[in-house]
Structure formats: structure tokens, C-alpha cells
Amino acid sequence: MEKGEMKILNKGEEEEMELQGYRLCRWRLALVGFGVLCTGGFLLLLLYWMPEWCVKSTCTRTTVRDAEVVLLRSTDEFRRWFLARVRVMLAPGSNPFHSLETQTTSPLSSPSSPSSPFSSPSPSPLANGHTPHPSDGSPAQELIRRFSYYQPTQIRYFTFHSTKYYWNDEMQNYKVLNGLEDLEVSCSTVHSEHSAGLTRNQQEYRRLFFGVNEIAVKVPSVFKLLIKEVLNPFYIFQLFSVILWSTDEYYYYAVAIVFMSVISIATSLYTIKKQYIMLHDMVAAHSIVRVSVCRANNEVEETLSTDLVPGDVVVIPSNGTIMPCDAVLISGTCIVNESMLTGESVPVTKTNLPNPLPGEREGADSAYNAEEHKRHTLFCGTNVIQTRFYTGELVKAVVVRTGFSTAKGQLVRSILYPKPTDFKLYRDAYLFLLCLVAVAGIGFIYSIVLSIMNGEKVKTIIIESLDIITITVPPALPAAMTAGIVYAQRRLKKIGIFCISPQRINICGQINLVCFDKTGTLTEDGLDMWGVQRVEGGRFHLSEESAHKENLVKSQFVACMATCHSLTKIEGQLSGDPLDLKMFEATGWILEEATEEETALHNRIMPTVVRPPKQLLPSQPDESAEQDMELAELSSLYEIGIVRQFPFSSALQRMSVVSRTLGEKCMDAFMKGAPEVVASLCKRETVPENFAEVLEDYTKQGFRVIALAHRRLGSKLNWHKVQNVNRDYIEANMEFLGLIIMQNKLKAETPGVLQDLYRANIRTVMVTGDNMLTAVSVARDCGMIPAGDTVIIADALPPHDGQAAKITWRYADRPSRTTRLEEINISLEDEGHAEEPKTQPLYHFAMNGKSFAIIAEHFPDMLQKLVLHGTVFARMAPDQKTQLVETLQGVDYFVGMCGDGANDCGALKRAHSGISLSELEASVASPFTSRTPNISCVPSLIREGRAALITSFCVFKFMALYSIIQYISVTLLYSVSSNLGDFQFLFIDIAIILLIVFTMSLNPAWKELVSRRPPSGLISGPLLLSVLTQILICLGFQIITFLWVQKQPWFERWTPATNVCNHSNHLNVSGVNTTEVDDHNIQNFENTSLFYVSSFQYLIVAIVFSKGKPFRQPSYKNWPFVLSAVSLYFFLLFIMFHPVEGIDEFLEIVCVPFEWRLKVFLIIVVNAAVSVLVETFILDIILWKLVLSRDKQANYGVTPAAPTPQGVIDMQAYKCLFRLCPRKTTPKARYRHLAQELSLDPDWPPNPTTTTEAKPRPENGSVYDIITHS
């Protein structure tokens, strides 16, 4: 093993990382300690901010196996560094799944034998500087004592993001222990070897490796959070600035900065602490329960759920429980509410894991996998509502995963350790600050050289040169940048949107795609019955509102509605799929199930029985007075027993049941499902000729249509044969019964909001855990998929029996108008034709979660193309929702996510902007929570985000100009050994800057969502040009002022005796100047002139940069800003033209002739005119051109709204400018590149009824070759 090796951790997984091994080096530690002392602790801060530097400066490289510290680096686009300390644990064995009782390890045997992959040799008790021995009384120590004839084994591990990684000698790498799945056991092995339970010793031994079964969310102390927050580089710089100002006796502004910082830190701490507490409470609510565990000696004992380990066998109580772990059912049946995972509050029936007989195992006995066998797996956090058992047998499950390895644990980890959200504004802000630091560096050197040449004292040189840095990089910048976000947060709160991550508000301004959950978000919960359309004799009847009629009660149509479902009774209430529930309720029938007592008496399952209420049955005529009453009652009894169910399969798109009517000899088969599928399995003569037209008519209206069919089975088919008959035998030669039309009602606000987003060039995508057909129907109904567009479903199949993975393309329904898909192109407008509308994409892709996972694994390049037009993603698991968001972000979309369930948590956290419509689990993960339970909050949030983003640009530009203006003033004054006075600084920093910054951020959002987006970063042509031109303008006018005042005939070096004001008779001024000695040479003509000009310059750039329409309300509607600016203008003009002795003394201003004051006023007016002219009439047109050209490329497929009269003028100006300076732009975002490529691809989109296969191609290094064939 090489010393400088690098290992890959979690290869191919989402958390893939590079890993390097290091061991502590004493002389390097000593050297770093000395450096920390010499730098006053700054080096320690630097190492805290940079984990890579910390490890490399204190450690030396070693093999990963012998490492004391591991350095981790993520392989994603963020390339983040982490460090973790390697620890050593002593255990009596080396593999958690070995049985201590059966181990043959002797004291002399090697602990690192091939059968012990997790072991390490233990040459000495203090190997590698570790102290591996646990303290007396620990579980490990107790086990070692109990099994003293074993040699204790060293187990090396480290903990990262709540997951333990153990060293594996076989792999020569660290590996996570997930649970029973690590053994890759087959289904039959689960029954034969893991169904008996563990002994207490085995349980304790495994707990050493898997830890306590608890999802522990530790709430950090306020002190820890405070330290973490205060060590932010910005706050450290503020602390440095405050110390420097205090040294220079500049206390007032220092106190103001400290006050603002304290408020900012306190607010941040409160928010973070509240978030931790909410998450802790959510997780802890049901994390510890009492469970019954089966021991290896057939005993059942009570224990706490925290003691469970993989391999334990738990008894599921009949009255239900909240699952504390992931477990696989090995006996009995459970009805489970999995809304915590799926968001769909539909009870799911879980059956025991199949146990193939020895002769049937070939091909059928696959390795257990929680995802593949999810119909037999009870997931942590889900609610077991009730259980069913037969002949006194207990309902048992084998624990598969515990703690953070469970489904719920992974969900909590995704919330605790989210990937950082990359936003160009913040990256550009740091780059911009680096530029300011470079400018400050020039000023720093200039100041030192000038001070040395002038023979200044050392203390003065140090303070003045460092002061230049605090002037150029404004310490108030974080507070100023936060102001706009705080105001936006307050406005959001007023409309019922609450925010726990304020920095995300800015990112909302860039959103150009929004993913919506369906159930409870776009639609009301569940479906409503619209009507039925029966078929008799191969012809459709007229549609009817209900089948709840006396003349239909004994019809096969109603019998199918009453029996073909998976409903069950829970605590006396019918429960199941909403569609099944509505369908059964529409019949008015009664469902009865066998009780637990009845079931326990029989060896076979008692059938569920359905029957109509007596009042619905047709009345029996009195045939004779002497008729026996009991016989009459029997003849009027009509009930149907459900003998066998073939559950709904999304792959087959149908379900069926075998039933028997009381008194009948033959059984009946009923089927319901997707109309096209059901019709294809029926006799042709029973399907109406106009079936396709009727179906299309309903689907175009957005209805969910279900077809029903029936078949009378032969009399030879008895109960026993039915239990073993093949599904395909039953579901053939059916008779078509008709259609059920269901309505998934949209929330009233949904279509209008989606239309607003459409007009604003914002894409909408549906991502749901619900059925594909329902999702497509709802997407059409709400306008997400326009009426004339085609939906292509991508059905993917994994590699099987040597065949490659493949995708089959098919229509979701027949398109409503004929379109040649080969001719469809994605229009990427040339900039010279900006006013022409774009061609709409006429196709949308839809896929389910299973297909999404296969395509992501085997067709990664195609996945990016599919998401470009993917509109419906159905049956998506929580981690797949997160993966979809990441895929969309991977092609440079700014993604919003709106959902309401805990299953949306990961996606809500990962999206650039997650909006939860629930105040429960989802709100913990989501940056935004809306109290309005509909999607109307989405446009409001985007509008506020755009306003906050523009405000951030305005504030950042203003603060940059403020720094540079003050920097120019100070640099010019340094050349004459002068400076601005303390109270001049104070007046500028507090009276002008802070007042303007905190009021210019108050502009509310524009009242409607426009089709343009603001720029995403500061480092863009228009914004940089804007800042640079204003810097040059301010520099020019300050230099003019500085040189012009020195050319005045009355100019002389100012002294307390100087009185040039007597040259003017236009003003009443105090004739006597102060006689105090000015040590710092503050009072002089250059200082006074530059103070006046620079003070007005701050106000000029504030007004120039304070943009309004189209993202914010105009500045004149922001009355605090207008009042502040007008007041400051008035005050400055007043002290300039009517000096007041007290104010002049306070601000250390000297008296200058009236003529010079007029000249200064002229300079200010010209400066204002030039600034406004350059910013408004030149830069805004250029900015508009660049933003427009970007958005024209970015948002293909969306017809822009009609331009306003102002927009027409802007368009004409834009076209003129385009003709003057034509340029060909290349799209920067990846999705635009893909759109360009696909517009030229004649084979895209794939034609329905074709198949796309993945073929290995090792010869050219490419993994797969895409082959499309019919």
C-alpha cells in the first residue's frame, strides 16, 4: 500500500468522496502553535476556515489504513474539504454478523483472517498513538470479559455526517455498515437463518458496530452556535476594524457597527436554534418506543427500541405502532400509512416476504433488497395501523436497518447536511471584495510610502495605513446587504410566508423552473366521482351521474365497482386508495371483513364480503301467503365474497379480483384499469366502436377514466385452484362493462398561478408519488401540459438475463391533433429577431420513479435531455425527488420546489428555493413555509426574491461606490498630509450611508411577475460597467475639485489665522476662526471642498443606483428614502450656503468664499447630470439588451406576453443598438446548449413505439452506445 494513496469513499453514490490518510506530526504542531502565537491567533482562524490547510500543516501523509486523521473531499461541483479523526474500538470479534458462540478464534489466531474483514492487527495496546482500550464498565469491555478466551480485536473507524465508516481489510478501504443487506441474503435465507432472533449477547455485540438505534438530532448549545457564527470572516474583519477605530479614538462609529453586528448575530442564532429544536422535536416524537423482541430460545421479551440491531426479530402489535427501524415482514400482514415517506396518506398493505420452496428457488429466490421488496418492508417512521394474523401466529419482522441507515434516518441526514446552494451573487460578492482588497493594498502601500516621506510617527503610519483598508472594504457591508433581505422577509410574513433561511430570498429572484408536488399542492386531496358510462351489447349508454340505482344493483357493472378494489376496514372505517374509496362509496354497498377471532379459528383467510343495503334490493313479490319467511329472507339476500385479489400494478396498469356471489356455483372475475389496457384484454365484439373517441373526449377534459370488465369463470375452478391460478389466465377474454369517470379537483388558485408563471417564462414540472395517469391528467387539467401537446412516456427496464437496459417510448394518450414530431424544434431566437414569438414545444416527457432510476444509472446523458422537456414525474420516492432537483440544477436551472409532505423534505432542502404548504415535517426542511395552503405563494415569493436581488445589487454597488469615493477623498488628502476629520467620517458613515442604505432597501416588489429575470451575478458586463463608470465620474469630479481649489487666487495654506471669507460680501459668517491647534491638519480648503463634493456624490449614486421597475416599485413610492435623501440634500445645501458656526466647528469645516461655494455647487450639479445620463440612458439600454438576449435563449417554448408601450420603445432602442454593435452570443447555461443541440437532432424526440437500448462499448472508452429501433 503506497504512502500517498487516495481512496474513493462511497464510490458511485451521491456522497462520493476522495479520502487521504494523515498522521499527526509533533514538530509541525509545535511550529503551527508558534505561528498562532506570533499572529495573535489569526493563523488558528485561517486553519479553522481551511480544513485542508489545517491537516496538511499539522500532519504528514501516511497510508489510509494507518491514518490518525483522514482528509475528505467531495467529488461534486462544490469540492468541499472535511476532516475526521480516526478512532479505534476494541471488540471481542471483528465482524458484526459473526456469532460469538460459534467462533473458533483462539487467543493465538490472527484477528485479521479473511473471515474478519473489519479487523486490524493489534501489535500493541497503544498502536499508532491511539489508546484503544475502552474504560471499565463499557459494553465492549463487558463483552471482552465475558468472552475472555478471544483475543480483543482493534476496529478502526471514523464518524462523518452521523455515519460510521469502518476499515475493511478485504476492500482496503473504509466502508459503511448499513445492516442486514450487507450480507446480500436471499429471501429464503431471511426465513431460514434470521427468523429465530438473536441472543442477548449477539444483540450487544452487534450494537458495538451499529450503535444505538436512534436518530439523534443534537441541539447545539447557544455558546457553540455563537462561536461558529462569530468566527465568520466578515465578523472577524469587523472586530479588527472596531479595534483599529478605538485606537484612533473613533468610538461613535465603532459602537454603531458593534450594535448592528450584535443584532445580526442574535437574529441568526435565534433562527438556527429554532430550526434545530423543530427538527429534534419532529424526530424525537416517536423515536423511542417499547417493542417485543423474539429471542433465539423462543422467548418474547419487552425492550426499548433503542436496543434493536439488524437481525433482531420484532413482534408487530395488533393495535399498530410507529416503526422505530426498517424491518422486513416474515409472517402476517400489516396495513401501513407511509405518508411520512411518500406524502400519499393511503394505507398500504404489506405482506410477508416470499419464502420459495427448495424446488422453486431457481430464479425466484433473489437477494433481499429494501427497494425491490418494499411491499414486504416496514420503513422507519411509518405508522402500522393494524396487523392480521392467522391460527394464533404472531406478526413478526426482521430488523434490517437501524438509526441513520433507515429510510427516515437518510431523510433526516439530508436535512442536517444539505449540499450548499451555489449562487453566483455570493461568489461574485467575494470576488468583488477581493478587488476592493487589492485596491486597498495599493492605498496601503501608498499611505506608508507617503507617511515615511513626510516623517510621520510609526504609530500614525500604522493606524493611517490600516485605516485605508477599513475604508476600502466597508465593515458595514454585511449589515447593509442584510437590510434588503430583512425587509423582504417582513413583507413575506405579512402575506403568510415564513422564512427560516433568509439568504435564500435573493436566490428566489433567479428561479426559472418550479417543481410542484401534486396531492394537496396542485389538487385537493383525493378524487371525486363525476359519472359512469355503461356498455351493453357493444354500445355505450348515455353517461349517468351515479350507479346508485335500484335497477342496477345486481348488474355486473355495479358488482365490479363493489368488489374490484383493495379496501380494508380500520377501526370500523373504510380505508384505502382514494380512487377505490370513491368508487365503492358511489355504489352505496357495505363491506364486511372477518374479525381477528374468526380469522384465528381458520387455517385459510376468510373472504371479505360486500353486499348492497336492503333498501336498494328490488322488493320480492308475495308468491303465496304460505311461503316460508326464512326462505324469503334467504332468497332476497345478495352478497359477494372476494376470493382472491390481484393487486394493482403500475407496470400492468390494472387490478383484478376473483369473487363468488352467494348461492352461485361459478365464480366471477372483475377487472379495472387503464381503458386502453382493459379494452385490449376484452373480446373485440364487447368493446364499442367509438370507444377511442369517447375516451379521448373525456381525457381532453382532464378527467381520470377507469374501465371495467367482467368474465364468468368455469365451474371447475374451485377455491383452492383460484389461490394458485396464474393472473394472465384470469385477465383474458373479458367482457367490456363500461367507464368510470373520476375528477381530481384542482385547487381554485392552481390554473391562474401556473398561467402567471407561464407568462413569466418560468417552467413548471410535476413531481409526485401518485399514479402516472392521474398525474398526466392533472397536468393537462391545470394547464401545465397545454391541450394540444403530446405526452411521451419513457418506460425503462433494467438489464436482465444478459440484455442491456432499454427505454420504451409510448404515448400517454392519443394526441388531440396530428403532429409530426420529427419536425418539432426548440426555437432559440437570433438576437436580431427578438420581437418574433417562439415556437412552442409540442411534446412533454413523463416517467415514473423506477424508470427515472434506471435512466439515471444507464442513460445519464439522456436524462439531461429528458428533463429539458420532462413535465410529469410520477411514483417518485423522496430520494428520487431530490435527485431530480439535482439533475435540473446540473443543467443550470434555478429550481423552486413546492410541496406539503415529509416525503418532499429532501427536495425542499436541496432546491434553490423550497416552499412548504405544511407546517409539519416539511416546514423543518423547507426554507419557506406558507400558511396559505395553495400555490399562490409561489409568484409572490419569486416577485419578492427579484425585488430583494435587485436591492442587493443596488446596495452592493452603492457600498462599493461609498468605499471608493471615501478612498479617493482620503488618498487625495493624504497627498497634502491631511485627512477627513472624525466627525466628518461619522457624519458620512452614519447620517448619510447608514440612513440611505437602510431606506433605499425599502422599495416593495413590482405588482406583477414580468417575463424578464434580473442578472444572477455582480460580475456581469452591465453591472461592472455601471460601477466603473460611476467610479470614474466621481474620481474625475473629485480631482477637478482638488486641483481647482488650489488654483484659486485666494488659496493659501490654511492656518487658524486665515480668513478668506472677508473677500466676499454675500454671506454673514463668523469672522473669527477657531484658534485651536490642528495636529492632524484636518481643517484646510482641500478638506472642506472634497467633503462637500463627496457628500453629494454619495447621495447622487444612491439615487442613480436605486432602480425601480420592472422588479421593484419606483423609488418615489419609497417615502422613507425620498424623505431621507431630500433632508440630506437640504441640510448639505444649507451648511454650504449658510454656514453655522457650531456645525462648522463640529464637522471641522473652514470658511471659503461664496464664489467658490457656487463653483462647488456647479461641480455637484454637473456631476449629478453626468451620472444620471450615463446610468439611465446608456447603461440601462445595454443592460436591457443583455438580459433580454439571455432570457430569449433561456426560456424556449414560452410565448412572451404582449409588450407594453414602454416595452416597444425599449425594443426599438434595443434593435438600434443591436444594429450598431451586432454580436453572436453563445448560451452559457447547459440547458441552453442542450436545447440548441436537440433542435438540430433529427431523431429527437424519440418516436413512440420505438425502443432505446444501452450497449457496452469498451473499445472507445464510452460506456454506452444508444441504439434506437422499432
Side-chain angles (χ1 to χ4, degrees), residues 837-965:
K838 290 166 281 191
T839 305
Q840 292 195 6
L842 301 176
Y843 63 94
H844 301 257
F845 289 112
M847 68 188 79
N848 59 27
K850 185 180 175 184
S851 296
F852 179 82
I854 294 165
I855 294 168
E857 183 180 351
H858 299 286
F859 304 86
D861 293 338
M862 182 168 283
L863 183 64
Q864 294 193 336
K865 296 176 183 178
L866 288 174
V867 298
L868 209 61
H869 277 288
T871 303
V872 175
F873 296 86
R875 296 292 187 210
M876 296 287 276
D879 59 323
Q880 289 174 333
K881 290 187 177 186
T882 308
Q883 194 180 349
L884 172 64
V885 169
E886 288 175 353
T887 305
L888 290 165
Q889 290 172 335
V891 291
D892 298 337
Y893 276 113
F894 281 90
V895 183
M897 172 74 196
C898 185
D900 68 332
N903 63 312
D904 301 316
C905 282
L908 288 168
K909 192 83 173 177
R910 185 68 190 102
H912 289 105
S913 167
I915 313 151
S916 165
L917 303 185
S918 160
E919 293 186 47
L920 302 174
E921 294 101 331
S923 63
V924 178
S926 177
F928 302 95
T929 304
S930 172
R931 279 197 176 163
T932 310
N934 59 61
I935 63 169
S936 61
C937 58
V938 175
S940 302
L941 182 60
I942 296 173
R943 284 190 300 107
E944 287 295 348
R946 289 179 174 185
L949 185 56
I950 288 296
T951 299
S952 294
F953 286 141
C954 294
V955 168
F956 202 96
K957 286 160 65 178
F958 174 69
M959 292 301 285
L961 260 294
Y962 145 63
S963 305
I964 296 297
I965 290 168

Side-chain angles (χ1 to χ4, degrees), residues 72 83-87 157-165:
L72 305 162
L83 63 90
R85 187 74 186 265
V86 176
R87 302 186 182 280
Y157 71 95
F158 67 87
T159 305
F160 176 69
H161 283 179
S162 301
T163 303
K164 280 186 178 179
Y165 293 83

Side-chain angles (χ1 to χ4, degrees), residues 1033 1037 1100 1104 1129 1162-1173:
I1033 291 165
F1037 282 99
I1100 291 165
V1104 164
Y1129 270 120
L1162 180 66
I1163 290 169
I1164 290 161
V1165 170
V1166 175
N1167 185 345
V1170 172
S1171 290
V1172 171
L1173 181 74

Side-chain angles (χ1 to χ4, degrees), residues 264 303 315 369 392 448 451 534 561 817 921 1136 1250:
S264 176
T303 184
V315 177
N369 178 280
I448 291 174
S451 298
R534 295 183 298 117
M561 289 176 68
R817 56 192 168 95
E921 294 101 331
M1136 193 168 83
T1250 63

Side-chain angles (χ1 to χ4, degrees), residues 644 646-649 652 654-656 725-732:
R644 186 175 180 195
F646 294 100
F648 177 80
S649 163
L652 299 175
R654 63 182 185 268
M655 81 162 288
S656 56
V725 75
N726 192 313
R727 181 172 188 161
D728 294 336
Y729 172 78
I730 298 292
E731 297 173 341

Side-chain angles (χ1 to χ4, degrees), residues 315-392:
V315 177
I316 311 297
S318 58
N319 59 347
T321 183
I322 301 287
M323 285 302 295
C325 58
D326 287 356
V328 58
L329 269 175
I330 53 171
S331 67
T333 306
C334 290
I335 296 167
V336 186
N337 185 336
E338 291 188 327
S339 60
M340 197 283 297
L341 289 178
T342 64
E344 308 294 329
S345 56
V346 177
V348 179
T349 301
K350 302 279 186 171
T351 57
N352 59 303
L353 189 71
N355 184 15
L357 298 171
E360 303 171 355
R361 286 179 184 173
E362 190 174 339
D365 194 18
S366 58
Y368 170 75
N369 178 280
E371 184 57 35
E372 287 181 22
H373 297 94
K374 61 184 177 184
R375 287 193 174 274
H376 316 292
T377 305
L378 306 172
F379 293 103
C380 180
T382 58
N383 184 10
V384 178
I385 302 167
Q386 69 179 35
T387 63
R388 289 185 182 172
F389 56 92
Y390 308 100
T391 60

